[in-house]
Amino acid sequence: MEQAAPDPDRQLQPAPVESLGGPGAVLEAAVGEETEGTREDSAGVHTMTGNDLWLKKIEISVSEAEKRTGRNAVNMQETYTAYLIETRSVERADGQSVLTDSLWRRYSEFELLRNYLLVYYPHVVVPPLPEKRAEFVWHKLSADNMDPDFVERRRIGLENFLLRVASHPVLCRDKIFYLFLTQEGNWKETVNETGFQLKADSRLKALNATFRVKNPDKRFTELKHYSDELQSVISHLLRVRARVADRLYGVYKVHGNYGRVFSEWSAIEKEMGDGLQSAGHHMDVYASSIDDILEDEEHYADQLKEYLFYAEALRAVCRKHELMQYDLETAAQDLASKKQQCEELATGTVRTFSLKGVTTKLFGQESAEQREARVKVLEEQINAGEQQLKSKNLEGREFVKNAWADIERFKEQKNRDLKEALISYAVMQISMCKKGIQVWTNAKECFSKM
Amino acid sequence: MAGGPPKALPSTGPHSLRDMPHPLAGSSSEEAMGGDSTPSPDLLMARSFGDKDLILPNGGTPAGTSSPASSSSLLNRLQLDDDIDGETRDLFVTVDDPKKHVCTMETYITYRITTKSTRVEFDLPEYSVRRRYQDFDWLRNKLEESQPTHLIPPLPEKFVVKGVVDRFSEEFVETRRKALDKFLKRITDHPVLSFNEHFNVFLTAKDLNAYKKQGIALLTRVGESVKHVTGGYKLRSRPLEFAAIGDYLDTFALKLGTIDRIAQRIIKEEIEYLVELREYGPVYSTWSALEGELAEPLEGVSACIGNCSTALEELTDDVTEEFLPVLREYILYSDSMKSVLKKRDQVQAEYEAKLEAVALRKEDRPKVPADVEKCQDRMECFNADLKADMERWQSNKRHDFRQLLVGLADKNIQYYEKCLMAWESIIPLLQEKQETK
């Protein structure tokens, strides 16, 4: 491993070439920067670069979940679930995959990774994690985090998250992400050492900017409204869907009672007995079929939930824009007022109310040297300010450009994914109808033989 | 609909019912019948046509002996005949055309009763009268009075809770009409009940109320005597077959009651499911308004869910209107059958008591006294009638329930087919690629 200068940010340079990194999940790399080694851009982001890295496909899977007990930060016993992440590289030549890395992570580490990505890639719509706690449950589903079905769905959700990150043209190159997949021990410390928590924008600052920004890009304002409405409508949808599932469960299960009573009735009948008995059996089959049907539907609900959480990620990008824009506006305003101050000093007119103006009136004008000194300071500040404004402007425009590119990418992805989800939902409904027809046709045959 | 006349129908020409001697009036005492055995009541009824010629479908003459044994075999022959299809049917009755009548005192519904018959008892080949529920109720009571040894079909429930059910709604009226039609058809199919005088009057009289007021108690002898059987006789031992029937009816009614409750519960759950679906579908519409490329697919899903909701509503309505009433009808039927069984027990008890009394008197009589014989006759006739009716009832029940349950299955199949069609039709919509965003 190359040891770079004692810059803590650069401590973890990757081993060159052979190691992993890049687009995952059997997707080819989109684009690649073609410089070697690690580079750190102006924001301190750690990316992995390397020509041949992009051409290798990798497969990521979260293959297992395991209950563990350990001691937490306050030295108390706790139970948590750990997930096994396996990474395989698929050699192009023979198509076989080789297990290259395998390690265990818990949910909180995924959260840490995501928070890091949010800070260092504010222009990216960062893929969301599966929900922390089970929400929108219908009564049969457990809201318990330790419930095996919940754990299983979370495992799938976490795998999906990693695949999303790995297939993102920008995020996939991140060093920390790479280490997440490859370096079990010490990863937490590594992430924390990047100091990303300090670089995060304060919530208060962001809120302030949202209210006070004067000229945000209209597209971001619209996007913000869209993501608010999307969040609201998907929440509503998930809530009602849960109730629908509940009711449907009831309908199917009550039919099971027919099974029992037909059986009892058949005992007193001579010719009708057989028909009743076998029809009753079909009613039992009908009643028990609902469990699998609703389990499949949970998958659909999970797909909707992902986009519910994606709405939040969209909003985060909008917030960042507002923050930057507000910052820019504030800086511009600052500069303008300094320029004015300078002008006033130079010409001796006091147009604006200022403490200096008051004290001047009270205590008399200052001396020419004093004034000149102050003008000089101001001019220096103005210069610096103009430089800053220029770079802020540039930054802002870069941000808008990059963010909007990612948003377009996201839109395409969303439309594709949701269409797929709707199709699979329709397919589920079709399957349910066909099962229903089958069962009732069987029962009808039994009845007709009565 | 016109049935051919039964082969052995004598060409005595139509006779007005009132012209014919009442079968049990005066002359139809034991003596007139030629002596020492009591003919069965059914035989007597049969004799009421025309010139004492007995109408037997197979062209036979009445058996000279009219002992209970042969009367039951006679019954069997008559019963057999009813199992043959409509070719030999000579009586057709339909209930239709409900109409609302608004009077100062009350509002009520009447139904048109259309009768077509080639039977001698009917002056005209065709009749059309209007009757209301009250009239059906009257008929049923009269039948119970005059034919106490037979199972009388049930009527749909008399009372409906006002405010809960709309007595004048199309669905209610239609359900009732069907049940009333069934009631009359069951009587029509019965070899004894269909010849009942009250039934005839019900089908034909222009002014039924006038007839009702006459209060002529046209009872068969057995009917009258059965009516006057007092309780208080203890039954020694119920014949196995009647005990079995009693047990069967008990369990049967119980199971039907359970099925009724289950069916109602299912409907309740389905309605609650429907309520949620009606909220669920529109949310997709709301979402569709936010989107560009996804707008059409989402709108399609919304419409699809709407179609499924409608199909579900149709299912619950159908089951409520067509399945539940028939269940309830059979529960009522079992109840009335139980009371007939009780009456039978009473008749048997009376007979046994009288027999015992005779035995205790230790008189050396060569033959059994007349009144004990009468009791025995009564009992045996009753048993025969009941047995025959039970068999008929079992066979009808089997047919009715087969039809009912097949119907239930069909309704559910149709519901799922409607939903299937809806979902299959939007798949192409969801899959289609849109050129413009």
Side-chain angles (χ1 to χ4, degrees):
Chain A
M1 284 259 274
E2 259 176 80
Q3 280 304 310
D7 178 353
D9 286 354
R10 287 190 160 272
Q11 250 167 29
L12 300 155
Q13 297 218 8
V17 195
E18 239 67 352
S19 54
L20 292 165
V26 297
L27 288 175
E28 297 264 344
V31 153
E33 298 247 333
E34 318 234 327
T35 52
E36 297 281 326
T38 323
R39 67 170 182 83
E40 189 187 317
D41 66 17
S42 52
V45 179
H46 312 76
T47 51
M48 308 240 325
T49 59
N51 233 338
D52 4 42
L53 297 180
W54 309 133
L55 302 179
K56 292 215 176 114
K57 295 184 235 172
I58 67 166
E59 285 172 10
I60 307 177
S61 66
V62 177
S63 50
E64 278 172 49
E66 206 176 80
K67 232 193 232 178
R68 300 252 180 101
T69 46
R71 296 214 168 259
N72 68 5
V74 288
N75 209 35
M76 286 176 62
Q77 272 273 341
E78 60 165 3
T79 325
Y80 62 90
T81 315
Y83 301 87
L84 179 65
I85 306 176
E86 294 180 316
T87 330
R88 290 178 161 72
S89 81
V90 183
E91 300 295 320
R92 249 194 171 170
D94 56 0
Q96 280 190 327
S97 73
V98 174
L99 183 67
T100 44
D101 281 282
S102 130
L103 41 65
W104 294 87
R105 293 271 184 231
R106 53 184 294 191
Y107 188 85
S108 55
E109 290 173 285
F110 280 85
E111 278 185 309
L112 195 59
L113 173 65
R114 185 165 191 270
N115 289 336
Y116 161 84
L117 292 173
L118 282 172
V119 170
Y120 278 106
Y121 300 89
H123 66 287
V124 168
V125 184
V126 179
L129 285 171
E131 55 191 356
K132 187 154 198 175
R133 265 165 284 277
E135 276 179 59
F136 304 110
V137 278
W138 56 281
H139 92 279
K140 256 287 156 176
L141 277 194
S142 172
D144 172 23
N145 280 7
M146 288 294 159
D147 177 72
D149 285 330
F150 178 75
V151 169
E152 173 59 18
R153 293 202 344 268
R154 194 190 246 192
R155 182 193 66 75
I156 295 171
L158 292 175
E159 185 177 278
N160 189 49
F161 167 75
L162 292 178
L163 294 177
R164 292 259 194 227
V165 174
S167 57
H168 191 281
V170 174
L171 297 178
C172 66
R173 301 187 212 168
D174 187 87
K175 180 65 185 297
I176 299 290
F177 173 59
Y178 166 69
L179 291 175
F180 182 85
L181 297 174
T182 58
Q183 181 189 75
E184 186 153 20
N186 227 34
W187 177 82
K188 264 169 111 169
E189 287 74 10
T190 311
V191 186
N192 288 325
E193 275 164 17
T194 62
F196 78 93
Q197 280 107 338
L198 299 170
K199 297 201 169 89
D201 297 317
S202 87
R203 216 51 203 197
L204 203 58
K205 242 178 96 186
L207 203 61
N208 186 44
T210 304
F211 283 125
R212 289 189 166 184
V213 68
K214 294 202 185 88
N215 254 340
D217 185 317
K218 277 210 172 60
R219 293 178 296 175
F220 285 93
T221 315
E222 276 168 24
L223 187 67
K224 199 170 67 148
H225 287 151
Y226 168 76
S227 56
D228 282 342
E229 310 221 304
L230 187 70
Q231 211 175 34
S232 159
V233 86
I234 297 185
S235 298
H236 188 193
L237 196 64
L238 286 168
R239 265 197 312 275
V240 184
R241 193 212 70 90
R243 295 204 303 262
V244 166
D246 219 9
R247 291 297 175 202
L248 190 60
Y249 185 80
V251 170
Y252 271 74
K253 285 301 178 192
V254 182
H255 278 83
N257 291 319
Y258 272 149
R260 201 187 55 238
V261 75
F262 282 169
S263 180
E264 290 167 6
W265 182 11
S266 73
I268 59 168
E269 295 291 343
K270 296 189 202 85
E271 305 110 338
M272 280 170 54
D274 287 336
L276 275 177
Q277 179 86 343
S278 37
H281 162 71
H282 291 298
M283 290 293 101
D284 285 332
V285 169
Y286 182 71
S288 59
S289 67
I290 191 65
D291 296 302
D292 285 342
I293 289 170
L294 288 178
E295 206 178 285
D296 286 344
E297 271 200 23
E298 277 314 305
H299 177 62
Y300 172 68
D302 284 339
Q303 287 175 296
L304 293 180
K305 274 183 209 168
E306 192 190 12
Y307 278 90
L308 174 67
F309 303 142
Y310 253 128
E312 178 56 48
L314 273 180
R315 255 226 248 85
V317 176
C318 298
R319 267 203 302 272
K320 183 66 182 180
H321 165 74
E322 284 171 344
L323 204 62
M324 290 181 80
Q325 180 67 14
Y326 178 67
D327 211 27
L328 188 66
E329 288 171 2
T330 315
Q333 213 172 20
D334 226 32
L335 186 66
S337 96
K338 284 206 162 74
K339 282 188 172 164
Q340 193 167 52
Q341 269 188 349
C342 204
E343 197 197 311
E344 286 170 10
L345 278 179
T347 60
T349 54
V350 181
R351 242 174 285 142
T352 54
F353 179 84
S354 70
L355 192 59
K356 213 50 195 167
V358 171
T359 52
T360 310
K361 284 222 148 83
L362 290 176
F363 302 113
Q365 295 245 8
E366 36 181 10
S367 68
E369 293 100 20
Q370 281 176 315
R371 218 186 305 143
E372 261 194 49
R374 287 211 297 124
V375 168
K376 207 141 180 255
V377 166
L378 272 175
E379 277 177 349
E380 271 170 32
Q381 284 179 338
I382 287 170
N383 260 327
E386 275 179 340
Q387 292 291 12
Q388 242 194 7
L389 197 63
K390 233 191 226 159
S391 72
K392 276 203 163 98
N393 238 318
L394 207 69
E395 245 181 64
R397 274 202 283 263
E398 268 300 298
F399 177 87
V400 167
K401 186 182 89 179
N402 292 330
W404 208 256
D406 198 57
I407 285 162
E408 292 295 332
R409 182 205 59 82
F410 169 76
K411 278 190 191 163
E412 299 276 312
Q413 176 199 295
K414 177 202 79 176
N415 288 337
R416 254 195 331 266
D417 288 350
L418 288 175
K419 253 199 197 167
E420 279 306 310
L422 290 176
I423 291 173
S424 79
Y425 185 63
V427 168
M428 274 182 237
Q429 300 304 307
I430 287 171
S431 156
M432 182 171 89
C433 290
K434 286 190 172 158
K435 277 190 205 157
I437 292 173
Q438 185 63 62
V439 165
W440 281 104
T441 306
N442 291 341
K444 177 176 168 179
E445 227 186 273
C446 297
F447 289 140
S448 62
K449 294 200 183 119
M450 265 172 34
Chain B
M1 259 276 271
K7 298 171 202 168
L9 198 68
S11 49
T12 51
H15 278 254
S16 165
L17 208 64
R18 275 164 227 132
D19 288 345
M20 298 194 317
H22 177 61
L24 300 172
S27 57
S28 53
S29 58
E30 264 187 304
E31 289 71 43
M33 287 310 170
D36 52 348
S37 46
T38 319
S40 81
D42 305 278
L43 214 56
L44 290 170
M45 285 304 283
R47 275 176 178 259
S48 73
F49 320 147
D51 323 340
K52 290 194 183 172
D53 276 357
L54 209 62
I55 316 302
L56 294 175
N58 291 324
T61 45
T65 58
S66 33
S67 64
S70 64
S71 71
S72 66
S73 64
L74 193 63
L75 261 172
N76 285 339
R77 264 193 277 163
L78 287 170
Q79 190 186 306
L80 211 69
D81 200 57
D82 273 278
D83 291 341
I84 302 171
D85 330 291
E87 283 174 40
T88 45
R89 278 237 191 115
D90 57 357
L91 175 64
F92 299 89
V93 178
T94 319
V95 179
D96 63 6
D97 191 34
K99 276 199 165 59
K100 195 164 164 186
H101 296 254
V102 184
C103 308
T104 40
M105 294 299 280
E106 53 173 351
T107 308
Y108 58 91
I109 308 264
T110 63
Y111 305 82
R112 177 178 65 185
I113 321 291
T114 312
T115 309
K116 289 194 175 108
S117 179
T118 49
R119 286 188 187 178
V120 208
E121 296 74 20
F122 294 91
D123 293 348
L124 305 171
E126 208 171 310
Y127 288 89
S128 179
V129 297
R130 295 207 77 93
R131 301 284 181 245
R132 55 186 288 194
Y133 184 91
Q134 267 182 14
D135 301 331
F136 283 85
D137 198 32
W138 168 88
L139 172 64
R140 190 172 189 280
N141 289 333
K142 283 294 179 216
L143 286 174
E144 270 191 331
E145 273 176 28
S146 56
Q147 314 278 179
T149 62
H150 287 285
L151 303 176
I152 318 292
L155 276 178
E157 270 153 25
K158 191 179 205 161
F159 298 111
V160 281
V161 184
K162 278 194 192 159
V164 175
V165 183
D166 178 11
R167 289 181 301 140
F168 303 109
S169 76
E170 254 184 63
E171 294 85 23
F172 178 78
V173 170
E174 175 58 16
T175 305
R176 211 177 226 201
R177 183 203 66 76
K178 279 199 207 126
L180 294 175
D181 184 80
K182 198 90 184 280
F183 171 72
L184 291 185
K185 284 195 161 68
R186 278 174 172 149
I187 299 175
T188 308
D189 288 344
H190 196 285
V192 175
L193 295 180
S194 62
F195 289 96
N196 183 283
E197 168 152 8
H198 302 294
F199 182 53
N200 188 297
V201 172
F202 176 90
L203 294 176
T204 60
K206 282 280 174 237
D207 184 358
L208 188 64
N209 287 327
Y211 177 79
K212 285 187 199 177
K213 288 191 186 117
Q214 276 177 20
I216 299 172
L218 299 169
L219 299 168
T220 63
R221 226 159 93 218
V222 173
E224 180 140 345
S225 50
V226 169
K227 200 178 166 208
H228 291 131
V229 164
T230 48
Y233 292 108
K234 267 208 135 167
L235 185 68
R236 197 99 44 77
S237 69
R238 197 177 287 115
L240 262 141
E241 55 186 334
F242 294 110
I245 291 174
D247 288 340
Y248 171 81
L249 287 176
D250 280 336
T251 313
F252 179 70
L254 213 68
K255 293 308 149 196
L256 285 194
T258 307
I259 293 175
D260 182 40
R261 276 192 302 279
I262 295 172
Q264 280 187 67
R265 177 71 190 280
I266 290 176
I267 290 173
K268 177 168 165 288
E269 295 283 338
E270 282 173 345
I271 289 174
E272 288 178 351
Y273 173 51
L274 184 63
V275 165
E276 300 298 348
L277 277 184
R278 291 238 183 261
E279 190 182 329
Y280 185 50
V283 182
Y284 282 97
S285 257
T286 309
W287 188 358
S288 154
L290 300 175
E291 297 287 340
E293 198 180 314
L294 288 176
E296 258 185 56
L298 286 169
E299 193 55 57
V301 171
S302 177
C304 199
I305 294 173
N307 289 337
C308 293
S309 308
T310 307
L312 182 61
E313 198 168 29
E314 285 165 9
L315 173 66
T316 54
D317 283 345
D318 274 350
V319 174
T320 307
E321 285 160 33
E322 293 177 25
F323 182 75
L324 292 182
V326 178
L327 277 183
R328 298 204 181 121
E329 195 180 279
Y330 263 91
I331 297 176
L332 290 173
Y333 216 155
S334 326
D335 288 343
S336 74
M337 284 160 73
K338 293 288 296 294
S339 49
V340 175
L341 278 175
K342 279 207 192 92
K343 273 191 239 151
R344 191 218 68 84
D345 284 351
Q346 282 309 306
V347 170
Q348 179 178 331
E350 193 192 345
Y351 167 66
E352 286 173 349
K354 292 212 167 127
L355 199 63
E356 211 179 296
V358 165
L360 287 174
R361 268 183 284 162
K362 288 187 177 128
E363 280 174 25
D364 200 31
R365 279 231 192 172
K367 66 176 180 179
V368 185
D371 67 333
V372 178
E373 256 193 34
K374 244 195 267 180
C375 263
Q376 186 185 26
D377 265 351
R378 229 183 281 144
M379 180 189 75
E380 286 173 349
C381 287
F382 206 146
N383 289 351
D385 288 346
L386 202 53
K387 253 187 86 178
D389 274 9
M390 263 315 287
E391 277 172 39
R392 165 191 313 283
W393 182 86
Q394 282 284 13
S395 137
N396 285 341
K397 172 208 82 183
R398 186 177 173 195
H399 172 265
D400 286 345
F401 274 94
R402 187 186 312 139
Q403 207 178 41
L404 183 71
L405 291 169
V406 165
L408 178 68
D410 263 336
K411 295 190 219 303
N412 277 281
I413 291 170
Q414 279 163 32
Y415 160 70
Y416 277 113
E417 282 180 342
K418 287 179 201 163
C419 292
L420 180 67
M421 204 170 70
W423 285 105
E424 281 184 333
S425 69
I426 65 152
I427 294 269
L429 171 71
L430 293 176
Q431 285 174 329
E432 114 193 330
K433 293 235 181 244
Q434 289 185 299
E435 265 90 42
T436 51
K437 241 188 256 186

